[in-house]
């Protein structure tokens, strides 16, 4: 896999490392849904890898509950209306395809991962399905059919800081807009697929900047108004740390690492290396 995926995305963007000490934030930018999901990898390697994971272990990398059927249909129709056809290898979603078939087609045709969510009668938002080939250390099968609060429950302090705000934002997405945000972490590999079953080791001492990657999750929230739900897209970008040393991104990363609460650093598997990374950057 290439060392600099999505080279057009600037890791020095102030949105990734906002001014100030580390904190969970809910800053959303407005974007174009088509632009987020449109192909960005001219080599075709991302789609080839997605197809490989989806074929080798379909139940691990894709899942759909009955409540997800209308969501995948609406998202499939939305993608078809974007006419990305030729650039996605012509694998366009078929209007008549069954939900699972449509989900797999979308999972193989789009570079970002996709997760489908909708509220219950009380307004609580649940994960109803998705095609997730490049998770950052989590398993779709464990999160399926769970609420946002339960899904985020493992992230220390997140529900307390932002739980109600996240619920509010997800319930009130304006149609036709992609609401964009980013998460970052460090990985000791440029592998895209960090499913827990692969047991990819966390960053560890001794630290070398050319063996560590800034792993950015570019995320998009897009309303599915007919089905009263939403799609959550995640696109991974990797930046090898020796290549960003000395840049604005490195300054933001140093500050983020230095001010991150210990329990968050432990959750992000950074506690063993963060002091040394700060020294080296
Ligand atoms: C505005 C909305 C959201 C915000 C602010 C948010 C925020 C976060 C943050 C800060 C983390 C910790 C990641 C890290 O720092 O490394 C996280 C993890 C995660 N989020 Fe979200 N999130 C949002 C929406 C969603 C949605 C819609 C899903 C859909 C399934 C989701 C699924 C997850 C999962 C699976 C994790 C990893 C949990 C684990 O490690 O098991 N998030 N989120």
């Amino acid at each position: 896999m290439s060392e600099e995926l999505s080279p057009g995305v600037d890791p020095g963007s102030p949105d990734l490392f906002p001014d100030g000490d580390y904190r969970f934030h809910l800053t959303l930018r407005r974007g174009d849904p088509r632009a987020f999901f449109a192909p960005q990898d001219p080599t075709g390697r991302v789609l080839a890898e997605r197809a490989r994971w989806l074929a080798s272990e379909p139940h691990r990398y894709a899942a759909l509950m009955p409540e997800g059927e209308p969501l995948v249909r609406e998202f499939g129709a939305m993608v078809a209306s974007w006419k990305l056809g030729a650039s996605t290898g012509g694998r366009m979603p078929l209007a008549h395809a069954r939900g699972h078939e449509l989900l797999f087609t979308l999972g193989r045709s789009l570079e970002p991962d996709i997760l489908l969510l909708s509220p219950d009668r009380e307004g609580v938002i649940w994960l109803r399905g998705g095609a997730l080939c490049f998770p950052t250390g989590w398993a779709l099968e464990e999160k399926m059919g769970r609420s946002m609060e339960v899904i985020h429950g493992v992230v220390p302090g997140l529900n307390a800081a932002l739980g109600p705000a996240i619920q509010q934002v997800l319930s009130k997405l304006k149609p036709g807009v992609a609401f964009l945000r980013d998460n970052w972490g460090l990985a000791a590999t440029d592998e895209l697929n960090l499913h827990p079953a692969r047991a990819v080791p966390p960053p560890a001492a001794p630290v070398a900047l050319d063996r560590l990657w800034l792993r950015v999750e570019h995320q998009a929230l897009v309303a599915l108004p007919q089905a009263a739900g939403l799609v959550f897209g995640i696109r991974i970008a990797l930046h090898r740390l020796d290549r960003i040393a000395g840049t604005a991104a490195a300054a933001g990363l140093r500050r983020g690492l230095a001010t991150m609460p210990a329990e968050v650093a432990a959750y992000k598997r950074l506690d063993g290396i963060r002091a040394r990374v700060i020294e080296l950057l």
Side-chain angles (χ1 to χ4, degrees), residues 124-252:
V124 175
I125 295 176
W126 302 77
L127 179 59
R128 312 291 195 178
L132 179 81
C133 299
F134 304 142
T136 304
W138 61 282
L140 182 62
E141 61 263 43
E142 278 173 20
K143 307 283 190 183
M144 279 297 291
R146 306 280 158 114
S147 68
M148 282 310 303
E149 192 184 356
V150 170
I151 290 172
H152 278 152
V154 292
V155 185
L158 180 59
N159 280 333
L162 289 183
I166 292 175
Q167 165 77 26
Q168 172 96 354
V169 158
L170 299 186
S171 320
K172 299 214 166 124
L173 292 175
K174 189 174 161 238
V177 181
F179 292 91
L180 307 175
R181 63 178 305 276
D182 313 290
N183 265 356
W184 62 266
L186 296 183
T189 174
D190 62 352
E191 287 276 328
L192 290 170
N193 178 1
L194 301 186
H195 191 287
R198 303 190 73 211
V200 177
V207 171
L209 293 187
D210 63 355
R211 304 305 309 150
L212 284 176
W213 283 261
L214 173 65
R215 182 177 170 102
V216 183
E217 284 195 358
H218 296 287
Q219 305 176 341
L221 299 158
V222 180
L224 300 172
Q226 258 88 57
L230 67 128
V231 57
F232 181 52
I234 307 176
R235 187 185 269 284
I236 303 292
L238 295 163
H239 307 276
R240 218 173 71 186
L241 285 198
D242 59 328
R243 304 217 166 120
I244 63 165
T247 66

Side-chain angles (χ1 to χ4, degrees), residues 39-62:
Q40 293 182 7
D41 166 31
T43 70
R45 278 182 292 187
V46 170
L47 289 188
E49 186 174 345
R50 297 186 67 80
R52 194 152 52 75
W53 293 118
L54 285 165
S56 67
E57 281 165 292
H59 297 294
R60 173 165 289 165
Y61 295 108

